[in-house]
Amino acid sequence: MKEKLTHNLDLKILALVFAVILWLIVVNIDDPVKSVQFSGVEVQILHASELEKQGLCYEVADNTNIVDVTVSGRRSIVEEISEENITATADMKDLTSMNTISIHVSSNKSPNDLDSIKSSSENVKLNIEELLTISKRIQVETSGTPEDGYILGNRTIDLNQVEVSGPKSIVSQVETAKATVDVSGVNSNISASVPIFLYDEEGNRIESSRIHMNISSINVTQEILFSKEVPVVYEFTGTPEEGYALTGEVITDYDTVKVCGRRSLLDNISTIYVRSEDLDVTGEHTNKTVELNLRDYLPASVDFADKTFDGNVVVTAIIRRETYTIITADIADVRIEGVPEEASAEIISDGTYVEDGKVKIRIYGLSEYLAEVDEAHLNIVLDLNEYAAQNGMTSVGTGTYHIVPTISLPEGVHLEDGCTITVRVY
């Protein structure tokens, strides 16, 4: 048996070697070794929070986190691998003093069947600097203008602070955080989610992927109110000191105000009337100046359109000394009323108000009011019935009576106090 095995041993070994070589040739021809390159693979940075714990942050330098990965192995294996199977990582725990991290590449498919897997670069290079976190109050602004006749009312926001984190070189430039609401052409309240943007001290917008904000937007409700201009009427009351009168002129910086509110409310407001006990001029002989707040005279839910106006106003009523003039009428033109039946009445000369067949009466008022008196249409009446009523009499009998005349005078003009005309009934 042994002789059979060893017979022609050299030829048998040669045949075996030849068979192996032939098998390798066949295999390599049918499934050769192949290399495939995957371009633009992004390196994942692991344990980046390790830097943050030290109060630092990083930026990848020169796009060194983008590499090409070459995979080598049997064609049957390599051709089954796609870019999704390739992973490139760099662990922050391996950071060197040169601010570099080694790159490790791998495949999650047939890793043990590959001849090799290599990266075009060995390290990710980092720029490292201090991490800065600041808080900024959010400034809410508006752009555009509402529909004509409407103005901005109150504004509410759900948050008023934003926290900004990132490299000190960038974050230190942040001066303001703003959110802008567009109110162009609107006539009703706005509720919207508005993005937050960062600006430097010159008003330039800061945009960087290295900056992180804890919130990116806020919810804003902007009230839109109807507004209109309305006159203000100050109603001074009372009678000044004898010999003085109100001119009707009122001096104030606010004879009109712009108000705002719901349109349904403002449609019913045409004038603001200011009536106050402070506007009483009784006994005054000089101009009366009063300070008051117009807000006290606004209806509920109506406000001033100008938010800088607090409602405080100063108003002055002009008081001037009266002058006088004497009006004259023929006795024949003076009408006596209320003469008892079967009686007669006549005007008696008293040397003061009646003389030489004329009635002469002094009337008082401001010069501009006296100028309106028309002596041709005075309509002077002596009413005996009114005299009787004022003196507790049912009627007048024969005798002499001193009657206060009734005269058609313009507003602001009055008779001299104590003026009476003597009438004799017979």
Side-chain angles (χ1 to χ4, degrees):
M1 183 67 177
K2 182 177 179 181
E3 291 179 356
K4 290 182 178 180
L5 291 173
T6 59
H7 182 69
N8 296 325
L9 180 61
D10 292 340
L11 291 174
K12 290 179 179 179
I13 292 173
L14 182 62
L16 177 60
V17 171
F18 179 77
V20 170
I21 292 173
L22 182 61
W23 178 82
L24 288 174
I25 293 173
V26 172
V27 167
N28 280 313
I29 292 174
D30 187 55
D31 192 11
V33 173
K34 181 179 181 180
S35 295
V36 176
Q37 185 179 81
F38 299 96
S39 301
V41 177
E42 183 174 358
V43 179
Q44 302 174 31
I45 307 297
L46 305 179
H47 301 106
S49 59
E50 293 297 316
L51 272 185
E52 294 181 9
K53 292 177 183 178
Q54 303 173 48
L56 302 172
C57 60
Y58 73 91
E59 177 185 26
V60 175
D62 303 325
N63 291 322
T64 52
N65 63 331
I66 305 299
V67 296
D68 298 333
V69 177
T70 301
V71 177
S72 297
R74 296 293 177 186
R75 183 178 62 185
S76 59
I77 301 299
V78 171
E79 288 183 348
E80 292 296 320
I81 296 175
S82 65
E83 187 173 340
E84 286 72 24
N85 301 125
I86 303 301
T87 301
T89 61
D91 196 326
M92 193 66 75
K93 292 180 178 181
D94 298 331
L95 181 66
T96 70
S97 59
M98 301 296 290
N99 293 339
T100 62
I101 314 174
S102 297
I103 297 173
H104 301 279
V105 291
S106 61
S107 170
N108 61 6
K109 189 168 187 177
S110 305
N112 298 324
D113 296 328
L114 296 176
D115 291 347
S116 66
I117 178 167
K118 296 180 181 180
S119 168
S120 59
S121 174
E122 295 182 355
N123 300 299
V124 173
K125 297 178 183 179
L126 302 180
N127 294 323
I128 297 177
E129 63 178 295
E130 182 181 342
L131 176 68
L132 179 63
T133 299
I134 62 173
S135 291
K136 286 292 181 179
R137 187 174 185 84
I138 303 169
Q139 300 179 14
V140 181
E141 300 179 341
T142 57
S143 63
T145 55
E147 182 180 316
D148 189 34
Y150 289 82
I151 65 168
L152 302 179
N154 294 324
R155 181 189 303 132
T156 58
I157 58 177
D158 61 343
L159 297 169
N160 61 6
Q161 294 277 344
V162 60
E163 189 175 272
V164 184
S165 300
K168 183 177 180 179
S169 60
I170 300 177
V171 174
S172 61
Q173 298 178 38
V174 176
E175 183 69 21
T176 56
K178 296 180 182 180
T180 303
V181 183
D182 186 5
V183 298
S184 301
V186 299
N187 60 13
S188 60
N189 295 347
I190 298 174
S191 292
S193 177
V194 184
I196 302 168
F197 297 108
L198 304 176
Y199 297 86
D200 63 20
E201 62 180 3
E202 296 180 355
N204 300 313
R205 183 170 160 184
I206 298 174
E207 297 181 271
S208 173
S209 60
R210 301 181 66 193
I211 289 182
H212 171 74
M213 296 189 293
N214 65 328
I215 55 173
S216 60
S217 63
I218 57 173
N219 295 318
V220 180
T221 299
Q222 175 64 62
E223 185 179 37
I224 305 296
L225 300 173
F226 184 64
S227 67
K228 71 176 184 180
E229 194 92 12
V230 294
V232 182
V233 175
Y234 303 91
E235 298 188 342
F236 282 86
T237 59
T239 302
E241 181 181 318
E242 184 178 353
Y244 293 84
L246 283 167
T247 66
E249 180 184 2
V250 173
I251 298 176
T252 180
D253 289 335
Y254 294 92
D255 51 6
T256 66
V257 291
K258 196 169 188 178
V259 294
C260 62
R262 296 194 307 274
R263 181 158 194 166
S264 58
L265 290 176
L266 266 60
D267 283 345
N268 296 321
I269 300 175
S270 58
T271 305
I272 297 175
Y273 293 97
V274 179
R275 301 179 176 97
S276 169
E277 60 183 18
D278 294 331
L279 301 182
D280 187 356
V281 298
T282 299
E284 300 285 349
H285 64 275
T286 58
N287 296 343
K288 179 69 176 280
T289 298
V290 177
E291 295 183 17
L292 46 81
N293 195 301
L294 292 182
R295 193 178 298 279
D296 298 334
Y297 304 92
L298 293 182
S301 300
V302 174
D303 202 356
F304 299 113
D306 182 0
K307 299 306 179 184
T308 64
F309 177 49
D310 59 7
N312 291 321
V313 298
V314 177
V315 57
T316 300
I318 305 301
I319 298 174
R320 290 211 315 264
R321 180 183 288 277
E322 293 181 323
T323 185
Y324 71 90
T325 188
I326 296 175
I327 57 175
T328 302
D330 292 332
I331 289 179
D333 293 330
V334 178
R335 190 168 71 255
I336 302 174
E337 295 183 350
V339 179
E341 292 185 7
E342 299 181 359
S344 298
E346 62 178 349
I347 296 173
I348 304 300
S349 177
D350 57 11
T352 300
Y353 298 109
V354 180
E355 188 176 20
D356 298 329
K358 300 285 188 181
V359 173
K360 298 178 180 179
I361 300 174
R362 182 175 292 188
I363 57 175
Y364 286 82
L366 299 175
S367 58
E368 57 267 32
Y369 297 153
L370 292 176
E372 297 178 5
V373 175
D374 182 2
E375 292 194 28
H377 299 86
L378 291 176
N379 192 26
I380 303 174
V381 177
L382 304 174
D383 193 335
L384 295 174
N385 286 336
E386 184 176 349
Y387 175 85
Q390 291 174 351
N391 290 274
M393 304 165 59
T394 56
S395 63
V396 296
T398 58
T400 301
Y401 303 96
H402 303 287
I403 310 297
V404 177
T406 300
I407 307 176
S408 299
L409 295 175
E411 185 178 353
V413 179
H414 59 89
L415 294 175
E416 178 184 12
D417 288 345
C419 173
T420 60
I421 296 177
T422 303
V423 175
R424 185 172 71 88
V425 179
Y426 58 94

PDB file of all heavy atoms in Angstrom, residues 44-60 90-95 101 126 128 131:
ATOM      1  N   GLN A  44     -17.762  61.740  10.670  1.00  0.00           N
ATOM      2  CA  GLN A  44     -18.568  62.053  11.845  1.00  0.00           C
ATOM      3  C   GLN A  44     -17.648  62.275  13.038  1.00  0.00           C
ATOM      4  O   GLN A  44     -16.790  61.457  13.323  1.00  0.00           O
ATOM      5  CB  GLN A  44     -19.527  60.904  12.147  1.00  0.00           C
ATOM      6  CG  GLN A  44     -20.478  60.564  11.013  1.00  0.00           C
ATOM      7  CD  GLN A  44     -21.306  59.334  11.328  1.00  0.00           C
ATOM      8  OE1 GLN A  44     -21.625  59.061  12.490  1.00  0.00           O
ATOM      9  NE2 GLN A  44     -21.639  58.564  10.299  1.00  0.00           N
ATOM     10  N   ILE A  45     -17.877  63.432  13.721  1.00  0.00           N
ATOM     11  CA  ILE A  45     -17.078  63.746  14.902  1.00  0.00           C
ATOM     12  C   ILE A  45     -17.784  63.142  16.117  1.00  0.00           C
ATOM     13  O   ILE A  45     -18.929  63.503  16.428  1.00  0.00           O
ATOM     14  CB  ILE A  45     -16.919  65.263  15.084  1.00  0.00           C
ATOM     15  CG1 ILE A  45     -16.385  65.905  13.797  1.00  0.00           C
ATOM     16  CG2 ILE A  45     -16.013  65.556  16.267  1.00  0.00           C
ATOM     17  CD1 ILE A  45     -15.019  65.441  13.390  1.00  0.00           C
ATOM     18  N   LEU A  46     -17.111  62.241  16.795  1.00  0.00           N
ATOM     19  CA  LEU A  46     -17.686  61.589  17.970  1.00  0.00           C
ATOM     20  C   LEU A  46     -17.265  62.301  19.254  1.00  0.00           C
ATOM     21  O   LEU A  46     -16.170  62.862  19.334  1.00  0.00           O
ATOM     22  CB  LEU A  46     -17.237  60.120  18.027  1.00  0.00           C
ATOM     23  CG  LEU A  46     -17.526  59.263  16.778  1.00  0.00           C
ATOM     24  CD1 LEU A  46     -17.007  57.843  16.994  1.00  0.00           C
ATOM     25  CD2 LEU A  46     -19.011  59.261  16.461  1.00  0.00           C
ATOM     26  N   HIS A  47     -18.164  62.268  20.235  1.00  0.00           N
ATOM     27  CA  HIS A  47     -17.900  62.832  21.567  1.00  0.00           C
ATOM     28  C   HIS A  47     -17.502  64.307  21.508  1.00  0.00           C
ATOM     29  O   HIS A  47     -16.586  64.744  22.220  1.00  0.00           O
ATOM     30  CB  HIS A  47     -16.814  62.026  22.292  1.00  0.00           C
ATOM     31  CG  HIS A  47     -17.176  60.579  22.457  1.00  0.00           C
ATOM     32  ND1 HIS A  47     -16.590  59.562  21.710  1.00  0.00           N
ATOM     33  CD2 HIS A  47     -18.073  59.975  23.273  1.00  0.00           C
ATOM     34  CE1 HIS A  47     -17.100  58.393  22.074  1.00  0.00           C
ATOM     35  NE2 HIS A  47     -18.013  58.607  23.024  1.00  0.00           N
ATOM     36  N   ALA A  48     -18.206  65.065  20.647  1.00  0.00           N
ATOM     37  CA  ALA A  48     -17.918  66.502  20.537  1.00  0.00           C
ATOM     38  C   ALA A  48     -18.200  67.230  21.841  1.00  0.00           C
ATOM     39  O   ALA A  48     -17.631  68.298  22.123  1.00  0.00           O
ATOM     40  CB  ALA A  48     -18.742  67.116  19.405  1.00  0.00           C
ATOM     41  N   SER A  49     -19.087  66.656  22.665  1.00  0.00           N
ATOM     42  CA  SER A  49     -19.433  67.301  23.937  1.00  0.00           C
ATOM     43  C   SER A  49     -18.249  67.360  24.896  1.00  0.00           C
ATOM     44  O   SER A  49     -18.267  68.125  25.865  1.00  0.00           O
ATOM     45  CB  SER A  49     -20.597  66.567  24.599  1.00  0.00           C
ATOM     46  OG  SER A  49     -20.260  65.205  24.849  1.00  0.00           O
ATOM     47  N   GLU A  50     -17.216  66.579  24.623  1.00  0.00           N
ATOM     48  CA  GLU A  50     -16.027  66.615  25.477  1.00  0.00           C
ATOM     49  C   GLU A  50     -15.406  68.006  25.479  1.00  0.00           C
ATOM     50  O   GLU A  50     -14.911  68.475  26.503  1.00  0.00           O
ATOM     51  CB  GLU A  50     -15.002  65.576  25.007  1.00  0.00           C
ATOM     52  CG  GLU A  50     -15.437  64.126  25.169  1.00  0.00           C
ATOM     53  CD  GLU A  50     -15.658  63.766  26.625  1.00  0.00           C
ATOM     54  OE1 GLU A  50     -14.811  64.149  27.469  1.00  0.00           O
ATOM     55  OE2 GLU A  50     -16.673  63.109  26.925  1.00  0.00           O
ATOM     56  N   LEU A  51     -15.437  68.667  24.315  1.00  0.00           N
ATOM     57  CA  LEU A  51     -14.907  70.035  24.242  1.00  0.00           C
ATOM     58  C   LEU A  51     -15.799  71.016  24.987  1.00  0.00           C
ATOM     59  O   LEU A  51     -15.319  71.914  25.684  1.00  0.00           O
ATOM     60  CB  LEU A  51     -14.766  70.469  22.785  1.00  0.00           C
ATOM     61  CG  LEU A  51     -13.460  70.142  22.054  1.00  0.00           C
ATOM     62  CD1 LEU A  51     -13.474  70.773  20.673  1.00  0.00           C
ATOM     63  CD2 LEU A  51     -12.253  70.609  22.838  1.00  0.00           C
ATOM     64  N   GLU A  52     -17.103  70.852  24.816  1.00  0.00           N
ATOM     65  CA  GLU A  52     -18.047  71.762  25.456  1.00  0.00           C
ATOM     66  C   GLU A  52     -17.899  71.728  26.973  1.00  0.00           C
ATOM     67  O   GLU A  52     -18.056  72.739  27.649  1.00  0.00           O
ATOM     68  CB  GLU A  52     -19.475  71.410  25.048  1.00  0.00           C
ATOM     69  CG  GLU A  52     -19.761  71.633  23.566  1.00  0.00           C
ATOM     70  CD  GLU A  52     -21.193  71.295  23.192  1.00  0.00           C
ATOM     71  OE1 GLU A  52     -21.993  71.054  24.112  1.00  0.00           O
ATOM     72  OE2 GLU A  52     -21.495  71.264  21.983  1.00  0.00           O
ATOM     73  N   LYS A  53     -17.579  70.537  27.503  1.00  0.00           N
ATOM     74  CA  LYS A  53     -17.381  70.423  28.952  1.00  0.00           C
ATOM     75  C   LYS A  53     -16.207  71.282  29.411  1.00  0.00           C
ATOM     76  O   LYS A  53     -16.144  71.693  30.565  1.00  0.00           O
ATOM     77  CB  LYS A  53     -17.138  68.967  29.324  1.00  0.00           C
ATOM     78  CG  LYS A  53     -18.352  68.063  29.133  1.00  0.00           C
ATOM     79  CD  LYS A  53     -18.013  66.621  29.445  1.00  0.00           C
ATOM     80  CE  LYS A  53     -19.211  65.695  29.194  1.00  0.00           C
ATOM     81  NZ  LYS A  53     -18.881  64.278  29.446  1.00  0.00           N
ATOM     82  N   GLN A  54     -15.299  71.553  28.503  1.00  0.00           N
ATOM     83  CA  GLN A  54     -14.134  72.374  28.827  1.00  0.00           C
ATOM     84  C   GLN A  54     -14.350  73.844  28.468  1.00  0.00           C
ATOM     85  O   GLN A  54     -13.429  74.658  28.550  1.00  0.00           O
ATOM     86  CB  GLN A  54     -12.906  71.843  28.074  1.00  0.00           C
ATOM     87  CG  GLN A  54     -12.582  70.386  28.355  1.00  0.00           C
ATOM     88  CD  GLN A  54     -11.463  69.874  27.469  1.00  0.00           C
ATOM     89  OE1 GLN A  54     -10.415  70.507  27.320  1.00  0.00           O
ATOM     90  NE2 GLN A  54     -11.680  68.702  26.868  1.00  0.00           N
ATOM     91  N   GLY A  55     -15.589  74.173  28.051  1.00  0.00           N
ATOM     92  CA  GLY A  55     -15.886  75.552  27.673  1.00  0.00           C
ATOM     93  C   GLY A  55     -15.285  75.933  26.350  1.00  0.00           C
ATOM     94  O   GLY A  55     -14.979  77.106  26.110  1.00  0.00           O
ATOM     95  N   LEU A  56     -15.142  74.932  25.447  1.00  0.00           N
ATOM     96  CA  LEU A  56     -14.538  75.180  24.146  1.00  0.00           C
ATOM     97  C   LEU A  56     -15.487  74.747  23.033  1.00  0.00           C
ATOM     98  O   LEU A  56     -16.430  73.975  23.259  1.00  0.00           O
ATOM     99  CB  LEU A  56     -13.213  74.415  24.012  1.00  0.00           C
ATOM    100  CG  LEU A  56     -12.133  74.720  25.059  1.00  0.00           C
ATOM    101  CD1 LEU A  56     -10.963  73.747  24.897  1.00  0.00           C
ATOM    102  CD2 LEU A  56     -11.654  76.162  24.934  1.00  0.00           C
ATOM    103  N   CYS A  57     -15.244  75.215  21.851  1.00  0.00           N
ATOM    104  CA  CYS A  57     -15.994  74.773  20.678  1.00  0.00           C
ATOM    105  C   CYS A  57     -15.024  74.675  19.509  1.00  0.00           C
ATOM    106  O   CYS A  57     -13.890  75.170  19.585  1.00  0.00           O
ATOM    107  CB  CYS A  57     -17.140  75.726  20.347  1.00  0.00           C
ATOM    108  SG  CYS A  57     -16.619  77.410  19.974  1.00  0.00           S
ATOM    109  N   TYR A  58     -15.456  74.037  18.446  1.00  0.00           N
ATOM    110  CA  TYR A  58     -14.533  73.798  17.335  1.00  0.00           C
ATOM    111  C   TYR A  58     -15.184  74.091  15.992  1.00  0.00           C
ATOM    112  O   TYR A  58     -16.400  74.160  15.853  1.00  0.00           O
ATOM    113  CB  TYR A  58     -14.065  72.352  17.349  1.00  0.00           C
ATOM    114  CG  TYR A  58     -15.122  71.358  16.909  1.00  0.00           C
ATOM    115  CD1 TYR A  58     -15.242  70.972  15.574  1.00  0.00           C
ATOM    116  CD2 TYR A  58     -16.030  70.828  17.823  1.00  0.00           C
ATOM    117  CE1 TYR A  58     -16.212  70.084  15.162  1.00  0.00           C
ATOM    118  CE2 TYR A  58     -17.008  69.934  17.423  1.00  0.00           C
ATOM    119  CZ  TYR A  58     -17.098  69.564  16.098  1.00  0.00           C
ATOM    120  OH  TYR A  58     -18.079  68.695  15.694  1.00  0.00           O
ATOM    121  N   GLU A  59     -14.305  74.235  15.006  1.00  0.00           N
ATOM    122  CA  GLU A  59     -14.707  74.349  13.605  1.00  0.00           C
ATOM    123  C   GLU A  59     -13.744  73.494  12.805  1.00  0.00           C
ATOM    124  O   GLU A  59     -12.526  73.531  13.033  1.00  0.00           O
ATOM    125  CB  GLU A  59     -14.648  75.788  13.138  1.00  0.00           C
ATOM    126  CG  GLU A  59     -14.997  75.961  11.657  1.00  0.00           C
ATOM    127  CD  GLU A  59     -14.804  77.399  11.186  1.00  0.00           C
ATOM    128  OE1 GLU A  59     -13.970  78.109  11.790  1.00  0.00           O
ATOM    129  OE2 GLU A  59     -15.460  77.780  10.213  1.00  0.00           O
ATOM    130  N   VAL A  60     -14.262  72.694  11.888  1.00  0.00           N
ATOM    131  CA  VAL A  60     -13.401  71.878  11.037  1.00  0.00           C
ATOM    132  C   VAL A  60     -12.649  72.789  10.073  1.00  0.00           C
ATOM    133  O   VAL A  60     -13.246  73.650   9.414  1.00  0.00           O
ATOM    134  CB  VAL A  60     -14.223  70.831  10.263  1.00  0.00           C
ATOM    135  CG1 VAL A  60     -13.339  70.076   9.281  1.00  0.00           C
ATOM    136  CG2 VAL A  60     -14.893  69.871  11.231  1.00  0.00           C
ATOM    137  N   ALA A  90     -14.206  60.300  13.577  1.00  0.00           N
ATOM    138  CA  ALA A  90     -13.039  60.849  14.271  1.00  0.00           C
ATOM    139  C   ALA A  90     -13.492  61.133  15.693  1.00  0.00           C
ATOM    140  O   ALA A  90     -14.442  61.898  15.902  1.00  0.00           O
ATOM    141  CB  ALA A  90     -12.544  62.118  13.586  1.00  0.00           C
ATOM    142  N   ASP A  91     -12.832  60.509  16.653  1.00  0.00           N
ATOM    143  CA  ASP A  91     -13.255  60.597  18.052  1.00  0.00           C
ATOM    144  C   ASP A  91     -12.526  61.736  18.753  1.00  0.00           C
ATOM    145  O   ASP A  91     -11.282  61.790  18.764  1.00  0.00           O
ATOM    146  CB  ASP A  91     -12.951  59.274  18.766  1.00  0.00           C
ATOM    147  CG  ASP A  91     -13.701  59.143  20.067  1.00  0.00           C
ATOM    148  OD1 ASP A  91     -13.909  60.180  20.740  1.00  0.00           O
ATOM    149  OD2 ASP A  91     -14.092  58.009  20.418  1.00  0.00           O
ATOM    150  N   MET A  92     -13.330  62.683  19.319  1.00  0.00           N
ATOM    151  CA  MET A  92     -12.751  63.845  19.984  1.00  0.00           C
ATOM    152  C   MET A  92     -11.854  63.440  21.152  1.00  0.00           C
ATOM    153  O   MET A  92     -10.962  64.189  21.553  1.00  0.00           O
ATOM    154  CB  MET A  92     -13.871  64.769  20.471  1.00  0.00           C
ATOM    155  CG  MET A  92     -13.422  66.139  20.905  1.00  0.00           C
ATOM    156  SD  MET A  92     -12.770  67.151  19.540  1.00  0.00           S
ATOM    157  CE  MET A  92     -14.278  67.607  18.699  1.00  0.00           C
ATOM    158  N   LYS A  93     -12.055  62.236  21.672  1.00  0.00           N
ATOM    159  CA  LYS A  93     -11.208  61.771  22.770  1.00  0.00           C
ATOM    160  C   LYS A  93      -9.770  61.550  22.304  1.00  0.00           C
ATOM    161  O   LYS A  93      -8.848  61.463  23.118  1.00  0.00           O
ATOM    162  CB  LYS A  93     -11.774  60.475  23.343  1.00  0.00           C
ATOM    163  CG  LYS A  93     -13.109  60.660  24.071  1.00  0.00           C
ATOM    164  CD  LYS A  93     -13.617  59.342  24.617  1.00  0.00           C
ATOM    165  CE  LYS A  93     -14.935  59.536  25.381  1.00  0.00           C
ATOM    166  NZ  LYS A  93     -15.450  58.255  25.941  1.00  0.00           N
ATOM    167  N   ASP A  94      -9.580  61.458  20.961  1.00  0.00           N
ATOM    168  CA  ASP A  94      -8.238  61.241  20.401  1.00  0.00           C
ATOM    169  C   ASP A  94      -7.581  62.547  19.966  1.00  0.00           C
ATOM    170  O   ASP A  94      -6.596  62.534  19.212  1.00  0.00           O
ATOM    171  CB  ASP A  94      -8.315  60.291  19.201  1.00  0.00           C
ATOM    172  CG  ASP A  94      -8.840  58.914  19.589  1.00  0.00           C
ATOM    173  OD1 ASP A  94      -8.625  58.513  20.751  1.00  0.00           O
ATOM    174  OD2 ASP A  94      -9.458  58.253  18.728  1.00  0.00           O
ATOM    175  N   LEU A  95      -8.133  63.680  20.400  1.00  0.00           N
ATOM    176  CA  LEU A  95      -7.611  64.983  19.985  1.00  0.00           C
ATOM    177  C   LEU A  95      -6.150  65.129  20.406  1.00  0.00           C
ATOM    178  O   LEU A  95      -5.786  64.889  21.555  1.00  0.00           O
ATOM    179  CB  LEU A  95      -8.445  66.104  20.611  1.00  0.00           C
ATOM    180  CG  LEU A  95      -8.046  67.531  20.266  1.00  0.00           C
ATOM    181  CD1 LEU A  95      -8.274  67.817  18.780  1.00  0.00           C
ATOM    182  CD2 LEU A  95      -8.820  68.524  21.129  1.00  0.00           C
ATOM    183  N   ILE A 101      -7.473  64.975  14.763  1.00  0.00           N
ATOM    184  CA  ILE A 101      -8.081  63.727  15.221  1.00  0.00           C
ATOM    185  C   ILE A 101      -7.910  62.704  14.106  1.00  0.00           C
ATOM    186  O   ILE A 101      -8.187  62.986  12.936  1.00  0.00           O
ATOM    187  CB  ILE A 101      -9.584  63.886  15.527  1.00  0.00           C
ATOM    188  CG1 ILE A 101      -9.874  65.143  16.344  1.00  0.00           C
ATOM    189  CG2 ILE A 101     -10.119  62.658  16.259  1.00  0.00           C
ATOM    190  CD1 ILE A 101     -11.352  65.419  16.543  1.00  0.00           C
ATOM    191  N   LEU A 126      -8.824  70.755  13.267  1.00  0.00           N
ATOM    192  CA  LEU A 126      -9.829  71.580  13.936  1.00  0.00           C
ATOM    193  C   LEU A 126      -9.263  72.945  14.308  1.00  0.00           C
ATOM    194  O   LEU A 126      -8.073  73.063  14.642  1.00  0.00           O
ATOM    195  CB  LEU A 126     -10.329  70.895  15.216  1.00  0.00           C
ATOM    196  CG  LEU A 126     -10.945  69.500  15.083  1.00  0.00           C
ATOM    197  CD1 LEU A 126     -11.368  68.996  16.455  1.00  0.00           C
ATOM    198  CD2 LEU A 126     -12.122  69.493  14.117  1.00  0.00           C
ATOM    199  N   ILE A 128      -9.996  75.466  17.241  1.00  0.00           N
ATOM    200  CA  ILE A 128     -10.656  75.404  18.553  1.00  0.00           C
ATOM    201  C   ILE A 128     -10.555  76.765  19.233  1.00  0.00           C
ATOM    202  O   ILE A 128      -9.493  77.402  19.232  1.00  0.00           O
ATOM    203  CB  ILE A 128     -10.014  74.316  19.438  1.00  0.00           C
ATOM    204  CG1 ILE A 128     -10.224  72.946  18.794  1.00  0.00           C
ATOM    205  CG2 ILE A 128     -10.602  74.344  20.845  1.00  0.00           C
ATOM    206  CD1 ILE A 128      -9.573  71.803  19.536  1.00  0.00           C
ATOM    207  N   LEU A 131     -15.798  78.823  24.007  1.00  0.00           N
ATOM    208  CA  LEU A 131     -17.255  78.798  23.806  1.00  0.00           C
ATOM    209  C   LEU A 131     -17.878  79.911  24.635  1.00  0.00           C
ATOM    210  O   LEU A 131     -17.572  80.061  25.820  1.00  0.00           O
ATOM    211  CB  LEU A 131     -17.812  77.445  24.248  1.00  0.00           C
ATOM    212  CG  LEU A 131     -19.343  77.289  24.201  1.00  0.00           C
ATOM    213  CD1 LEU A 131     -19.827  77.307  22.762  1.00  0.00           C
ATOM    214  CD2 LEU A 131     -19.757  75.992  24.890  1.00  0.00           C
TER     215      LEU A 131
END
